[in-house]
Amino acid sequence: MITPSDYYKQSVELGQQFQKNNPKNWAGNDSKSYHNYIRFLMDRYAARTVLDYGCGKGQQYTDVVPYGLPGGAMSEPMTFQTRINAESVYKYDPCVPEFDQEPVGQQFDAVICTQVLGSIPDADIPWIKNKLMRYATKFVF
């Protein structure tokens, strides 16, 4: 198994410091932009369990908001978990103390990783990709 680069480790440490000093940033709401795509895949593959890898502060799972639906209608207000039709979500973000416990040895129907990949050094993408694929039994988004 390939191990994280020093640059990756330093990036996580800096992210942890950033989170401590900027409590309003990295809320996790960027995943909401992809709700229709994720819901489509959840339904198509009958996925019920999700790992949100890089969930930020997880506000998408507590905030109740309406979502834009295909065709232009709006949903009733709901959480992101309800919108994507997930029975359970494991929230993981190495930079957020509340969610920094990686689910070692577990598997999930779906893994969503909507913004964090852009922050991972190129040299670390292969082992991260392999890790995400090992967590997923149905799809990775």
Side-chain angles (χ1 to χ4, degrees):
M1 169 146 172
I2 299 172
T3 58
S5 69
D6 288 339
Y7 183 68
Y8 176 89
K9 293 174 189 173
Q10 292 168 352
S11 296
V12 170
E13 288 175 13
L14 289 172
Q16 291 166 339
Q17 291 173 11
F18 179 83
Q19 284 286 41
K20 288 178 187 174
N21 298 327
N22 298 282
K24 294 184 180 182
N25 293 61
W26 292 356
N29 289 316
D30 291 324
S31 59
K32 291 178 184 177
S33 301
Y34 306 100
H35 69 95
N36 285 320
Y37 302 112
I38 296 168
R39 174 62 182 260
F40 171 80
L41 293 170
M42 293 290 288
D43 291 345
R44 178 173 183 175
Y45 295 106
R48 304 306 292 149
T49 61
V50 173
L51 166 60
D52 187 337
Y53 195 97
C55 67
K57 291 185 177 69
Q59 288 180 345
Q60 67 275 38
Y61 298 104
T62 57
D63 292 350
V64 176
V65 299
Y67 286 86
L69 303 174
M74 295 298 287
S75 75
E76 293 296 320
M78 62 184 73
T79 65
F80 183 69
Q81 180 173 338
T82 299
R83 173 62 192 127
I84 63 171
N85 199 27
E87 285 179 7
S88 66
V89 176
Y90 189 103
K91 297 172 276 298
Y92 173 69
D93 193 307
C95 298
V96 179
E98 183 178 353
F99 303 121
D100 67 357
Q101 295 301 305
E102 193 166 353
V104 177
Q106 296 181 49
Q107 286 193 303
F108 305 86
D109 294 336
V111 175
I112 59 175
C113 186
T114 58
Q115 188 179 25
V116 73
L117 287 179
S119 301
I120 295 174
D122 290 348
D124 292 289
I125 292 294
W127 69 264
I128 289 286
K129 182 192 79 142
N130 290 337
K131 179 186 289 204
L132 297 178
M133 297 305 284
R134 280 193 309 273
Y135 281 128
T137 62
K138 297 186 177 183
F139 74 88
V140 175
F141 180 90

